[in-house]
Amino acid sequence: MIWYPYEQMKTMKPPYKIVNAEGVYLYTEDQKLIDSVSSWWSVIHGYKHPELNQAIETQLKKFAHVMLGGLTHEPAEKLSEKLQSWLPGDLDYCFFSDSGSVAVEVALKIALQYYMNREEMQRTMVLALEHAYHGDTFKTMEVGDDEDYHFVLKAYGESKNVVHIPTEIDALEHAFAEYHDRLNCFIVEPLLQGAGGMRMYDISFLKRARELCDQYDVLLVFDEVATGFGRTGNRFVADLVLPDILVLGKALTGGYIGHAVTIANRKVYEGFYDNNPSHALMHGPTFMGNALACSVALRSIEIFESQDYMAKIRRIEEITRREMEGFSDPRIKEIRIMGACVCIEVYDSNTIKGYQQFAYKRGIFSRPFLNYLYAMVPYVIEEDELVKVLQTMKEWFSKKC
């Protein structure tokens, strides 16, 4: 029996069974659905993309996977080289893993050990954001701040190693003034906090964070698992403000295979590069650098570049703003749009109860949560398909009057 995610198994409704998928569409036995959430924001090229399929098939004829312990292979080498040339600054050193959560764990472990290697043993604290979500493994839950996901940690009591602040510059400056000599890193979902409610904030906050991290010698970590590859309207937020460590996942492989990467700058990497064996990073996920995942990730990046996906994303935002202009309802707290993300936040979660089935009947797959009705569509969506998604969201409120 499948134990499904984020569900009370005793009371959950049966999930929709998918029998095929192509382009932006999911197919059940009786319905054709536009996937308005891109399979948790990862399927940016749509389903069954011929070039991505070919990349998998070509590599599969050679081998599917070998460990990176004592071995290496061309797909991992080429992907690392591509990321080194593609990413800003000196974000050159790629540590591969098999999921976004694990990649964040690696980043947090790197940040801690970086200072341990320097014998700065007091730097055990992490600064993070309120409403943060960085994954469901234990350390990522600790730096997260969403009781709807991480309430199990109440059993341990309040963490002494993590401080959460709002996205306000005054709070940021106060935290650094108080904790700077004990911090090893400040970790953020830059500009867009996804699972915490599609919360959006200004780049000025991150610019000030960069200044304070430089001033107090604290590492800045960007978790761009959800925000990377254009979702915020920027290729990466790291293009605007340069972190010391960048975490990528989800769209890295175009949603084909679970894979992620933690990328460090030269300063961080050289903090481990030593004759002392105890200064090595002792971490190694079994499927890190999986050859199939690296092959499809490399092709995904090539498609992103050659087909000008940033123009597609700008068009998605333009259409979304046009369709949402002037739309309001007394039950709506706020409508937020950034890049290829739109979120309608309501005051009462009961307002959007039943929307998923409503959308299903109209040919849309949606997965609202808590007080948030949102869309993060595949970048290959056509205008009429996107308009249908947005019109369905608006229609719900007129039907509920």
Side-chain angles (χ1 to χ4, degrees):
M1 178 178 180
I2 299 173
W3 196 337
Y4 288 94
Y6 304 126
E7 293 283 0
Q8 172 48 260
M9 295 295 290
K10 187 173 183 179
T11 58
M12 71 173 283
K13 296 179 181 178
Y16 305 126
K17 186 172 182 178
I18 301 304
V19 297
N20 200 356
E22 186 169 5
V24 300
Y25 290 97
L26 301 169
Y27 295 86
T28 66
E29 291 182 350
D30 62 358
Q31 187 62 292
K32 176 183 178 182
L33 304 165
I34 298 171
D35 183 0
S36 71
V37 296
S38 306
S39 275
W40 270 331
W41 327 333
S42 65
V43 183
I44 60 174
H45 308 289
Y47 296 94
K48 206 184 295 183
H49 192 289
E51 293 181 57
L52 298 182
N53 285 7
Q54 187 60 56
I56 294 276
E57 292 168 7
T58 299
Q59 179 57 40
L60 190 57
K61 292 175 181 177
K62 300 174 183 177
F63 58 90
H65 177 70
V66 296
M67 60 189 266
L68 281 191
L71 302 172
T72 191
H73 54 78
E74 187 176 63
E77 291 172 346
K78 283 189 172 181
L79 179 57
S80 179
E81 290 168 2
K82 181 61 180 179
L83 289 169
Q84 180 178 354
S85 66
W86 205 46
L87 293 173
D90 61 346
L91 290 168
D92 294 341
Y93 302 91
C94 297
F95 190 96
F96 294 111
S97 56
D98 45 10
S99 74
S101 294
V102 173
V104 174
E105 293 277 357
V106 171
L108 296 169
K109 186 174 181 178
I110 286 173
L112 177 61
Q113 189 178 339
Y114 174 79
Y115 291 100
M116 300 303 98
N117 286 355
R118 290 172 24 169
E119 299 185 355
E120 296 184 41
M121 309 303 287
Q122 81 283 1
R123 287 188 179 265
T124 57
M125 297 184 69
V126 174
L127 186 63
L129 296 180
E130 292 178 355
H131 310 292
Y133 177 88
H134 296 287
D136 292 329
T137 51
F138 264 68
K139 191 64 181 178
T140 62
M141 286 197 294
E142 187 180 8
V143 297
D145 182 47
D146 196 320
E147 290 189 0
D148 294 295
Y149 297 99
H150 307 327
F151 61 86
V152 67
L153 289 188
K154 286 183 178 180
Y156 290 101
E158 187 174 350
S159 173
K160 297 179 180 179
N161 296 315
V162 180
V163 177
H164 292 99
I165 62 170
T167 53
E168 300 167 1
I169 291 178
D170 286 349
L172 176 69
E173 292 175 341
H174 178 78
F176 270 91
E178 184 171 355
Y179 301 109
H180 63 87
D181 57 339
R182 287 170 282 170
L183 293 174
N184 59 62
C185 74
F186 179 31
I187 183 169
V188 299
E189 301 158 273
L191 296 186
L192 172 64
Q193 295 181 273
M198 306 301 163
R199 298 170 187 269
M200 301 170 187
Y201 60 96
D202 191 73
I203 192 66
S204 60
F205 179 85
L206 297 176
K207 289 180 177 178
R208 184 61 179 138
R210 179 69 274 176
E211 293 171 352
L212 290 166
C213 285
D214 290 340
Q215 179 180 342
Y216 293 112
D217 191 23
V218 174
L219 299 180
L220 181 59
V221 180
F222 278 9
D223 174 359
E224 293 219 49
V225 171
T227 63
F229 299 94
R231 189 57 69 178
T232 67
N234 306 284
R235 195 185 62 144
F236 301 97
V237 184
D239 289 330
L240 306 180
V241 175
L242 190 64
D244 299 293
I245 300 173
L246 175 65
V247 184
L248 302 177
K250 289 191 183 294
L252 175 65
T253 65
Y256 264 62
I257 302 177
H259 204 232
V261 61
T262 306
I263 307 156
N265 66 10
R266 177 175 292 277
K267 177 183 79 171
V268 172
Y269 179 78
E270 289 183 345
F272 293 77
Y273 194 74
D274 198 292
N275 289 324
N276 185 342
S278 69
H279 286 185
L281 178 61
M282 299 303 289
H283 206 91
T286 300
F287 294 102
M288 67 181 296
N290 173 265
L292 298 178
C294 289
S295 298
V296 75
L298 186 61
R299 190 70 194 105
S300 175
I301 292 171
E302 291 169 350
I303 293 169
F304 191 100
E305 286 184 301
S306 65
Q307 298 185 18
D308 194 4
Y309 268 48
M310 292 309 301
K312 296 179 188 292
I313 293 162
R314 288 191 293 272
R315 182 61 176 153
I316 288 170
E317 181 170 4
E318 177 185 309
I319 294 166
T320 302
R321 291 191 181 279
R322 182 194 74 200
E323 293 298 315
M324 288 297 179
E325 184 177 4
F327 174 66
S328 65
D329 184 279
R331 292 160 296 182
I332 294 175
K333 181 178 180 180
E334 186 178 35
I335 298 175
R336 297 187 286 274
I337 300 168
M338 179 182 284
C341 173
V342 57
C343 176
I344 300 175
E345 180 179 356
V346 297
Y347 289 102
D348 184 348
S349 61
N350 288 321
T351 300
I352 54 177
K353 186 176 181 180
Y355 178 77
Q356 186 176 61
Q357 184 61 22
F358 175 87
Y360 180 89
K361 291 178 179 178
R362 288 154 180 79
I364 310 290
F365 173 67
S366 177
R367 198 172 188 276
F369 64 102
L370 303 174
N371 292 29
Y372 310 105
L373 176 58
Y374 78 96
M376 282 192 178
V377 296
Y379 299 155
V380 295
I381 195 166
E382 297 290 343
E383 180 171 352
D384 63 327
E385 295 165 335
L386 177 56
V387 168
K388 182 177 180 180
V389 170
L390 300 171
Q391 290 292 346
T392 301
M393 295 169 75
K394 293 194 292 183
E395 185 186 350
W396 170 255
F397 291 91
S398 64
K399 293 289 186 182
K400 292 283 285 185
C401 288

